Amino acid sequence: MSDAIRLRITFAFFMSLLMTVLMSMWVTWLNIGFHPDFLARWRHAFVAAWPVAFFAVMLFAPKVNGLSQRLLRRFPRRDTKV
């Protein structure tokens, strides 16, 4: 397996893990607050969402990266000195 593929998989793993933990916790809290079964519901939401998030990052990260690079080339940084 090439280093580029290993990097892409590792990045997707950690990015999807972090975002799924944060977003599933946030949405669970918005829906039920800190209810006695908050952790069980959050865990269920996380387990259901993480595989989807992983494959979404694997699929879309290269396209988003390319879009970001094109936007930054089109709108370069302008240093303003006072």
Side-chain angles (χ1 to χ4, degrees), residues 1-68:
M1 184 181 307
S2 73
D3 285 345
I5 297 294
R6 289 177 58 220
L7 176 61
R8 187 170 170 192
I9 292 169
T10 303
F11 173 82
F13 176 84
F14 285 113
M15 180 57 72
S16 64
L17 179 69
L18 175 65
M19 292 303 297
T20 306
V21 164
L22 294 172
M23 295 309 298
S24 62
M25 188 177 288
W26 175 250
V27 171
T28 302
W29 178 78
L30 286 175
N31 284 322
I32 67 168
F34 286 118
H35 198 267
D37 65 344
F38 173 82
L39 288 178
R41 289 180 181 224
W42 168 68
R43 183 180 65 239
H44 176 76
F46 170 78
V47 169
W50 184 75
V52 175
F54 176 80
F55 287 109
V57 172
M58 286 291 294
L59 183 63
F60 295 116
K63 294 180 187 326
V64 172
N65 187 31
L67 173 64
S68 301

Side-chain angles (χ1 to χ4, degrees), residues 69-79:
Q69 289 178 7
R70 284 193 304 278
L71 283 172
L72 290 177
R73 280 194 302 270
R74 185 168 181 189
F75 300 104
R77 179 178 172 192
R78 296 181 185 184
D79 291 321

